[in-house]
Amino acid sequence: MTQRIDYIKQAPDLFKRFVDFGMHLKNGSIETAIVDLVDIRASQMNGCGFCLDMHIKQATLHGERPLRLHHVAIWRESTLFSPRERAALAWTEALTQLAPHGVPDAVYERVRTELSEQEIVDLSYVIMVINAWNRINVGFQSVPGSLDKAYGLDKAELS
């Protein structure tokens, strides 16, 4: 695979602003472990190899267990996720692939029982950001692992 356009080089200011926006979310109310799971699940759903590769390596560096990473795709059947994590993953799926009639009340109620209003808003922004990254990286065919050294992801030792 060859990257179609180097969007970072073509729009460095927009790239920096978007990175800054995403970094601002790191100070939000959603814990890193859930952000990692959300980034992985949305990237799986969107078929974004670049982001999936990146976020699995980040989660590994954050101390996530390998089996849980393998189970993200089957989170409904897995016993490895807490109710809070399950609610976040359900919300991720609902906002990543919007149903014709919007987000079902049952999904909203599930997330509402596990997260505060502030956390739901913060989680929604996390989901918006990963979906945007997925779209630009899928569109321009960013090569998985191509920025590992620049982002320090080579330290995950997963190559």
Side-chain angles (χ1 to χ4, degrees):
M1 175 189 296
T2 303
Q3 187 164 333
R4 291 174 171 159
I5 296 174
D6 183 345
Y7 63 86
I8 299 169
K9 183 178 174 184
Q10 294 301 316
D13 189 52
L14 289 174
F15 173 77
K16 183 184 178 321
R17 288 173 188 253
F18 199 63
V19 167
D20 290 345
F21 177 67
M23 294 303 280
H24 182 73
L25 295 172
K26 300 236 183 266
N27 299 322
S29 61
I30 304 300
E31 55 269 39
T32 301
I34 288 182
V35 172
D36 289 339
L37 296 174
V38 164
D39 288 345
I40 291 166
R41 185 63 189 132
S43 298
Q44 287 173 335
M45 292 177 70
N46 289 321
C48 185
F50 180 86
C51 291
L52 183 59
D53 177 82
M54 171 185 284
H55 293 296
I56 286 175
K57 290 171 182 170
Q58 283 180 335
T60 299
L61 290 170
H62 295 150
E64 186 58 78
R65 297 186 339 243
L67 186 58
R68 280 174 40 98
L69 294 174
H70 291 292
H71 278 223
V72 172
I74 58 159
W75 66 268
R76 283 182 184 79
E77 294 83 17
S78 176
T79 59
L80 301 178
F81 302 102
S82 70
R84 181 177 171 84
E85 291 167 332
R86 290 173 179 284
L89 289 164
W91 193 245
T92 299
E93 289 186 357
L95 295 187
T96 296
Q97 189 169 19
L98 292 170
H101 300 289
V103 176
D105 289 340
V107 174
Y108 176 73
E109 289 306 319
R110 181 178 195 176
V111 77
R112 186 83 170 100
T113 63
E114 295 295 332
L115 284 78
S116 70
E117 288 184 0
Q118 182 65 58
E119 290 171 328
I120 295 169
V121 170
D122 288 353
L123 177 61
S124 298
Y125 277 104
V126 168
I127 295 165
M128 287 169 38
V129 167
I130 190 57
N131 275 283
W133 283 121
N134 289 167
R135 280 151 178 74
I136 199 161
N137 284 300
V138 168
F140 294 130
Q141 294 183 343
S142 299
V143 178
S146 61
L147 295 176
D148 280 4
K149 192 167 216 123
Y151 294 154
L153 299 174
D154 53 332
K155 293 177 182 72
E157 299 180 2
L158 293 176
S159 52

